[in-house]
């Protein structure tokens, strides 16, 4: 019996690099534009208030930090599966003060994905990530969708630390599915 079959390793992620994802870039642009629009509106109406602007800017910054902290902080990797968690309801909790959705058996705060029958893994690095020895991966695999059954999806996961060594190790360790 091969011990590698039952091995599970944790790969830590640096969540600050999730700022590069298209979804987070849109959030960042909106949260950057809102204080500017707020300032222009107050100047035009002759009601400019430094304290109000500072509080508004801090709120926008806090929303972006919560958005980044909702992304996975690690990957649990076995030869056949990759598992990670998103904390999507964290932003709802921060903005509205309550969590919407969820059932009694599943967490309202976390959504866990277990990828199996991994078709492909692409190891990518932007010039920004190279400076910090980080990178991101694109995984195409099957994922269980509860009562809907399974579905093939592609996930883009940012912030893989020590990218060169980790990607080399993952290429050898993770077994890709031969299903077509």
């Amino acid at each position: 019996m091969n011990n590698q079959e039952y091995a599970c390793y944790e790969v830590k992620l640096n969540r600050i690099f999730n700022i590069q994802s298209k979804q987070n870039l849109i959030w960042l642009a909106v949260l950057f534009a809102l204080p500017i629009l707020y300032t222009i509106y107050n100047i035009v109406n002759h009601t400019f208030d430094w304290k109000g602007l500072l509080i508004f800017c801090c709120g926008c910054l806090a929303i972006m930090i919560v958005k980044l902290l909702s992304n996975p902080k690690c990957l649990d990797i076995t030869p056949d599966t990759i598992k990670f968690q998103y904390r999507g309801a964290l932003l709802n909790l921060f903005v509205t003060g309550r969590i919407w959705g969820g059932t009694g058996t599943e967490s309202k705060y976390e959504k866990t994905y277990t990828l199996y029958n991994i078709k492909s893994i692409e190891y990518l690095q932007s010039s920004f990530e190279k400076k910090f020895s980080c990178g991101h991966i694109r995984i195409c695999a099957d994922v269980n969708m509860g009562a809907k059954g399974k579905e093939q999806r592609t996930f883009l996961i940012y912030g893989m630390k020590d990218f060169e060594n980790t990607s080399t190790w993952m290429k050898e360790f993770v077994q890709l599915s031969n299903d077509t």
Side-chain angles (χ1 to χ4, degrees):
M1 190 177 303
N2 188 358
N3 286 337
Q4 189 171 350
E5 286 181 31
Y6 302 104
C8 181
Y9 295 99
E10 182 177 88
V11 174
K12 301 249 185 224
L13 302 173
N14 189 341
R15 294 187 274 191
I16 193 72
F17 287 96
N18 283 292
I19 207 155
Q20 300 176 89
S21 73
K22 289 180 184 176
Q23 180 185 16
N24 287 335
L25 282 175
I26 292 169
W27 271 93
L28 182 65
V30 168
L31 292 173
F32 185 73
L34 282 175
I36 294 171
L37 293 173
Y38 178 80
T39 303
I40 293 170
Y41 176 78
N42 284 332
I43 290 173
V44 168
N45 288 328
H46 304 290
T47 59
F48 188 75
D49 178 24
W50 280 104
K51 291 178 188 175
L53 178 63
L54 183 62
I55 291 170
F56 191 73
C57 289
C58 288
C60 290
L61 181 63
I63 289 172
M64 192 61 206
I65 289 170
V66 167
K67 182 79 174 132
L68 289 176
L69 292 178
S70 297
N71 290 295
K73 67 177 178 180
C74 66
L75 302 173
D76 294 327
I77 300 176
T78 66
D80 299 323
T81 64
I82 297 176
K83 183 177 178 180
F84 55 92
Q85 294 178 336
Y86 277 103
R87 290 173 177 80
L90 192 61
L91 188 60
N92 284 343
L93 177 64
F94 182 74
V95 174
T96 65
R98 59 179 82 168
I99 303 294
W100 302 101
T103 62
T105 58
E106 66 183 41
S107 173
K108 296 178 183 179
Y109 302 100
E110 299 172 343
K111 183 155 178 92
T112 302
Y113 292 96
T114 302
L115 309 180
Y116 60 95
N117 290 338
I118 301 168
K119 309 291 187 258
S120 66
I121 302 177
E122 290 180 67
Y123 302 90
L124 308 163
Q125 236 181 348
S126 67
S127 57
F128 175 68
E129 290 171 319
K130 283 182 183 179
K131 292 178 183 177
F132 297 98
S133 185
C134 282
H136 59 280
I137 56 175
R138 182 179 295 131
I139 305 170
C140 182
D142 291 336
V143 63
N144 281 335
M145 300 302 291
K148 298 178 187 176
K150 72 176 185 176
E151 166 181 311
Q152 185 173 340
R153 289 184 56 187
T154 301
F155 292 89
L156 198 57
I157 300 172
Y158 286 90
M160 187 181 293
K161 296 178 180 178
D162 190 19
F163 186 71
E164 289 185 20
N165 293 329
T166 305
S167 63
T168 303
W169 168 79
M170 281 181 68
K171 287 175 186 174
E172 295 172 4
F173 183 71
V174 176
Q175 298 171 3
L176 299 180
S177 173
N178 293 329
D179 298 345
T180 54

